[in-house]
Amino acid sequence: MTVHRLRVGVVGAGVMAGIHLGNLARLGHQTFVHSESGAAALANEVGAQVCGNYSALLDAVEWVVIATPTDTHHQLALEALRRGRDVVVEKPLARTYRESAELVATAESLGRRLRPGHVVRFFPEYVHLHRAVAAGTLGELAVLRFTRAGSYPTRAGWFADLGRSGGIVFDQMIHDLDQARWLAGEVAEVSAVSRRDLSGAAPVQAAHVVLRHTSGAISLASGVWGAPNLEFRTTFSVAGTGGVLEHDSARERPSTAQLADAPPTEGLLPARDAADDPYLAELIALLDADPDRDPVVSAVDGAEAVRLAEAALASLESGQPTRLGG
Amino acid sequence: MITDRRRIRVGVLSRAHVHADGYLALLSAAPDVELYVSDPAGGAGTQDRGRHGLPPNAHYLDSYPEVFDLGMDGVVITSETRGHRALVEAAAAAGAAILCEKPLAPDATEALAISAAVRQHRVPFMIAYPVRFMSVCQELLARQAAGQLGELVAIRGTNNGKLPRERRWFVDPVESGGGALFDHVVHVADLIDALTGAAPRTVAAMTNRILHADLTGDAETGGLVLITYDSGLVAAIDCSWSQPALAPTWGGLTLDVTGTRGDVSVDAFRPSVRGLDAGSGRPIRLGYGGSGDERLIATFLETVRGRRSAEPSLEVALRTLSIVLAAAESAGTGRTVAVRPLTAP
């Protein structure tokens, strides 16, 4: 699957770090891990080498995969770029647009690759959607709708800290803000409303963001961090002059199981093959050194998504739409 | 007080609205109802206007005054939106209970005049929001009333349909008030109103005219509306005329409700038999499950008979229309606007 064995270092020890590390190992790359805590346990699963500090990891690798809390992305990525490494950064690229723009400029001036982990671009339903739009199947896009809903992330405290994570808009909805821009082009205006309710057994947060694209198309992204019992569900509906395409992840399951005795399937399921694993497909594309191959998502895309998220937060603050110049 | 044994007289005023004939059919089949119709602007040569294609037991009259002269217990107003005011004023003055098509009015001035007439003459007034009467919506309201959803946090609603080409006035803002905003915001807004009882506070709307760009006039065809409520609830509504003309059904309505105890998703018009016509290559979709019209009309007749109060009421109609008007203002100005309650000064 991979031609060239790379030396790749993963920074972080959470869920995304685990996923990327596992896929890097599957791809046959030589793997390293550094994290403030939990690195050893993670490295053990795939036989990666643990690096006690970030500098040591940077010394050892060609590529860095940053899968740490959002507000650490900028510093870690900057250091890696300056050390002459190529970098994959989990979304969002950084906590602010200013930081994101600095990363883009730094990568550009140093001639380094910087790729944001916008994995939704690799989910097959979104691949189909983008291809159809690019092929002109839907004509001129008019109204786009996206939803992304799951349970409130209580696993790690930093998610709920708006200053650290950017909240639901930066952490979850950014995927759909990126999708809207990828499909319907640059955005002129962003308007958002949001609500967080702490009255129940667990917090619930939701937001709606509407975008006016320079093309005149309008997009709605809705995000939910809901009750603990919520299953993760994404939808889209994109209407243009040439037709409509829709998807609801809750309705597109190839099988349902109603079994008398169904213990958790963790560990029981075989690994998904590449065609079925967007995270694997993403890594393959992002680490691809071939200059003629489209990495699907660029550093600028990562920065622009952050810009949209920031504009949404500004709208929440001001109670008015945020206009984007240029 | 009207006794329930007496036959009641119900007049359908105008057949301009696409729902008029559906209501005629239901009224025609209702027991103890004498049905009258007038459609003076019906024009010649169409199957479904004027005196053409009426149920056999419907009595056609050439003018509205002739209908009122017979003494109506209730009237159903299915004219162009711009025509609602005159008919409401006449019906209210005649003491008839009113079922009025949506949206209530094309602008605030008309809405306030309608409100004044209804209040002055104290006639029962119902706005035609059939969706809340559908079983699936009644079930959602029951769940909410039972506390199953907890506190409501966010709602996403869609009411998308085809461009209403059968009736040109729908897309003429002078007659209708506007385009997709005026056609498709209110059903979702009504469901939210019934769920929460909260008052809408601000609206941010974006509209465009990319779909059906060949339409003359400036009716919007695409619309996304964000609403905040005084309870903290936030809602988003897609009201676009985004159902392609060749789609096998008219469109649909969905509602996704997020509360502190979980989520409920409603796709009101989903249940269908599906297939493909191999000859034409066109999809087949045969929907079932009712549209709420039956219960809407049944409720109206109960209201006419004095057995219950009118619901959805004038207050609901005014509250939901205020959202539409705010959306139009927001879309036009590019600002988030405060909802102006439609109450008499």
Side-chain angles (χ1 to χ4, degrees):
Chain A
M1 207 177 322
T2 183
V3 177
H4 178 64
R5 190 175 196 230
L6 299 168
R7 297 189 309 282
V8 186
V10 174
V11 189
V15 171
M16 286 318 304
I19 289 174
H20 287 313
L21 197 61
N23 284 329
L24 286 167
R26 280 175 70 190
L27 290 171
H29 296 305
Q30 187 180 356
T31 51
F32 304 78
V33 183
H34 166 68
S35 181
E36 282 176 6
S37 67
L42 193 64
N44 221 28
E45 289 173 22
V46 299
Q49 185 177 321
V50 175
C51 298
N53 59 63
Y54 190 42
S55 190
L57 180 129
L58 290 178
D59 280 341
V61 303
E62 302 160 80
W63 276 88
V64 179
V65 175
I66 297 171
T68 54
T70 302
D71 60 338
T72 63
H73 288 183
H74 171 248
Q75 193 50 43
L76 291 169
L78 210 54
E79 240 180 283
L81 290 170
R82 284 174 179 162
R83 194 77 75 86
R85 306 299 175 236
D86 292 322
V87 183
V88 170
V89 186
E90 255 304 318
K91 41 63 41 184
L93 183 59
R95 177 58 184 81
T96 67
Y97 181 55
R98 190 192 56 75
E99 291 173 330
S100 304
E102 186 184 12
L103 290 178
V104 171
T106 303
E108 172 109 16
S109 70
L110 295 176
R112 300 255 58 90
R113 293 185 197 93
L114 172 66
R115 306 239 162 98
H118 285 226
V119 69
V120 172
R121 289 196 181 198
F122 298 87
F123 271 73
E125 59 269 34
Y126 294 89
V127 172
H128 271 315
L129 175 61
H130 185 257
R131 276 197 196 133
V133 168
T137 306
L138 300 189
E140 188 184 348
L141 296 189
V143 183
L144 300 83
R145 264 193 276 124
F146 305 89
T147 75
R148 194 161 296 270
S151 54
Y152 199 94
T154 50
R155 187 177 24 88
W158 66 270
F159 282 111
D161 182 338
L162 186 74
R164 298 203 66 190
S165 70
I168 191 176
V169 173
F170 262 77
D171 190 71
Q172 180 168 286
M173 296 174 70
I174 199 161
H175 287 297
D176 294 315
L177 299 178
D178 175 56
Q179 284 293 316
R181 181 178 161 271
W182 195 33
L183 295 163
E186 297 307 330
V187 175
E189 193 177 291
V190 180
S191 199
V193 294
S194 169
R195 171 72 175 170
R196 190 167 68 154
D197 193 312
L198 304 172
S199 69
V204 171
Q205 187 178 359
H208 299 301
V209 180
V210 284
L211 312 173
R212 178 186 299 284
H213 299 263
T214 55
S215 67
I218 52 181
S219 294
L220 167 67
S222 297
V224 170
W225 272 348
N229 52 301
L230 243 62
E231 279 185 18
F232 193 66
R233 176 188 180 204
T234 65
T235 71
F236 62 71
S237 173
V238 177
T241 55
V244 179
L245 277 179
E246 302 188 315
H247 183 266
D248 181 345
S249 67
R251 293 221 169 100
E252 302 301 327
R253 300 211 166 102
S255 78
T256 60
Q258 298 184 75
L259 305 170
D261 190 8
T265 51
E266 188 93 31
L268 180 67
L269 298 175
R272 304 167 92 177
D273 56 60
D276 227 359
D277 188 343
Y279 293 94
L280 186 62
E282 176 193 44
L283 217 49
I284 292 169
L286 297 190
L287 297 178
D288 197 327
D290 185 341
D292 297 325
R293 202 89 61 94
D294 173 21
V296 179
V297 60
S298 70
V300 168
D301 291 328
E304 288 303 302
V306 170
R307 189 172 178 225
L308 294 178
E310 205 166 78
L313 291 192
S315 177
L316 290 178
E317 188 66 38
S318 72
Q320 289 295 330
T322 304
R323 275 186 186 79
L324 299 178
Chain B
M1 188 61 80
I2 301 164
T3 71
D4 54 11
R5 273 194 200 82
R6 194 170 72 89
R7 283 171 71 76
I8 54 172
R9 291 186 165 174
V10 176
V12 173
L13 308 179
S14 177
R15 293 171 75 189
H17 200 286
V18 292
H19 291 161
D21 280 5
Y23 298 152
L24 280 166
L26 289 167
L27 290 165
S28 143
D32 298 323
V33 171
E34 278 176 28
L35 180 57
Y36 299 85
V37 190
S38 187
D39 187 27
T46 57
Q47 301 279 64
D48 55 358
R49 295 298 304 264
R51 54 172 75 238
H52 297 110
L54 286 174
N57 62 341
H59 307 281
Y60 188 82
L61 296 155
D62 289 323
S63 72
Y64 300 131
E66 287 171 67
V67 176
F68 287 117
D69 283 346
L70 290 175
M72 293 295 113
D73 297 299
V75 299
V76 179
I77 296 173
T78 37
S79 68
E80 302 84 346
T81 309
R82 178 67 59 180
H84 289 176
R85 173 182 177 172
L87 293 173
V88 170
E89 287 171 339
I98 299 167
L99 173 64
C100 186
E101 256 297 341
K102 44 62 64 176
L104 179 69
D107 56 48
T109 305
E110 299 285 282
L112 291 172
I114 288 170
S115 172
V118 170
R119 291 193 167 121
Q120 182 195 343
H121 296 284
R122 293 168 37 180
V123 290
F125 181 98
M126 239 179 99
I127 185 83
Y129 288 157
V131 179
R132 62 149 74 182
F133 289 100
M134 296 177 73
S135 298
V136 65
C137 295
Q138 293 283 302
E139 182 184 274
L140 173 63
L141 295 176
R143 286 190 191 281
Q144 165 63 358
Q148 291 182 2
L149 283 76
E151 293 302 312
L152 297 186
V153 177
I155 293 180
R156 301 164 294 296
T158 72
N159 184 201
N160 299 134
K162 299 182 182 182
L163 179 73
R165 287 189 190 276
E166 327 92 318
R167 295 288 195 264
R168 296 304 299 173
W169 67 264
F170 259 94
V171 303
D172 176 0
V174 172
E175 292 298 313
S176 65
L181 285 180
F182 280 75
D183 192 21
H184 280 164
V185 166
V186 289
H187 294 298
V188 177
D190 178 51
L191 287 174
I192 298 173
D193 196 274
L195 274 170
T196 71
R201 201 167 44 183
T202 69
V203 173
M206 292 187 183
T207 61
N208 61 22
R209 294 186 59 240
I210 292 175
L211 297 170
H212 317 294
D214 54 326
L215 256 192
T216 54
D218 38 54
E220 68 287 351
T221 58
L224 297 171
V225 183
L226 299 186
I227 312 164
T228 66
Y229 290 79
D230 63 2
S231 63
L233 171 72
V234 294
I237 301 179
D238 177 2
C239 62
S240 307
W241 285 329
S242 51
Q243 182 81 329
L246 292 179
T249 62
W250 65 268
L253 185 143
T254 69
L255 201 73
D256 290 82
V257 184
T258 293
T260 53
R261 294 177 64 83
D263 266 33
V264 173
S265 287
V266 170
D267 188 346
F269 297 92
R270 180 172 175 84
S272 310
V273 171
R274 298 157 196 272
L276 188 77
D277 181 321
S280 65
R282 300 271 294 275
I284 300 171
R285 239 190 96 175
L286 310 168
Y288 58 87
S291 62
D293 282 352
E294 293 86 353
R295 214 172 273 138
L296 175 81
I297 292 296
T299 302
F300 177 58
L301 294 175
E302 292 283 276
T303 308
V304 173
R305 292 201 158 95
R307 289 197 200 131
R308 54 163 296 146
S309 58
E311 199 64 45
S313 64
L314 175 67
E315 286 65 39
V316 170
L318 292 168
R319 246 190 336 264
T320 48
L321 179 66
S322 70
I323 294 171
V324 176
L325 297 177
E329 185 187 341
S330 174
T333 60
R335 292 190 60 73
T336 301
V337 304
V339 173
R340 272 186 269 274
L342 287 165
T343 50

